[in-house]
Amino acid sequence: MNKGRNTSTGERGSIIPRERGTDFEVPYARSNIEKCRCPQCPVQADNKCAQDKIDNLKTVMANLSGERVPDPEDVPGVYCSTGKATCQDLNPDRQCICYTCTVWKEYDLGEGMPSMYFCQNGKAT
């Protein structure tokens, strides 16, 4: 059973509602990296590691052709797809903005666990 968006067709409305407790994968895809709000998140705002990755990401993405994507450890976000952040000293006491993200909404991530702070607790499943 497909538990996510049909990325091959890109059709809106192709998200199949998931059942609680089932695995749910958000594709690590260029389109999700481009929609990701993690680089604007206050959790990463004062983090040198995350800020260095944010500064580098635009250049890296511009140099990749087609649907190619950078290595996940070079991307300061899309934690719902890749798992925990590679920057280990993020500030989880700051307000998370996951719920404002298009990826969050498209994949109904508010219903998964953990429901916030993918960067600290890992991806939602």
Side-chain angles (χ1 to χ4, degrees):
M1 175 179 161
N2 178 1
K3 297 181 182 114
R5 174 177 286 286
N6 181 346
T7 56
S8 64
T9 65
E11 289 179 35
R12 189 99 182 120
S14 61
I15 297 171
I16 298 171
R18 64 189 168 141
E19 301 167 21
R20 281 191 175 270
T22 61
D23 284 344
F24 187 74
E25 299 295 323
V26 175
Y28 183 69
R30 187 177 189 100
S31 61
N32 285 337
I33 293 169
E34 290 169 347
K35 291 182 228 173
C36 181
R37 300 263 347 261
C38 293
Q40 292 85 40
C41 187
V43 173
Q44 300 187 134
D46 300 324
N47 182 271
K48 181 170 176 18
C49 173
Q51 291 303 312
D52 288 348
K53 289 179 185 211
I54 290 166
D55 291 343
N56 191 42
L57 184 61
K58 193 176 284 187
T59 303
V60 170
M61 293 288 281
N63 289 324
L64 291 173
S65 61
E67 292 299 311
R68 292 185 54 216
V69 294
D71 292 331
E73 60 269 7
D74 295 331
V75 178
V78 201
Y79 305 126
C80 56
S81 178
T82 63
K84 291 184 180 183
T86 55
C87 296
Q88 298 301 305
D89 55 347
L90 299 177
N91 186 352
D93 295 327
R94 309 251 348 236
Q95 178 63 44
C96 175
I97 61 169
C98 291
Y99 60 90
T100 68
C101 180
T102 304
V103 175
W104 172 274
K105 293 171 186 171
E106 285 178 358
Y107 290 93
D108 195 27
L109 296 179
E111 298 300 317
M113 292 300 294
S115 64
M116 291 289 215
Y117 298 122
F118 293 111
C119 53
Q120 183 180 18
N121 296 326
K123 63 185 177 181
T125 56

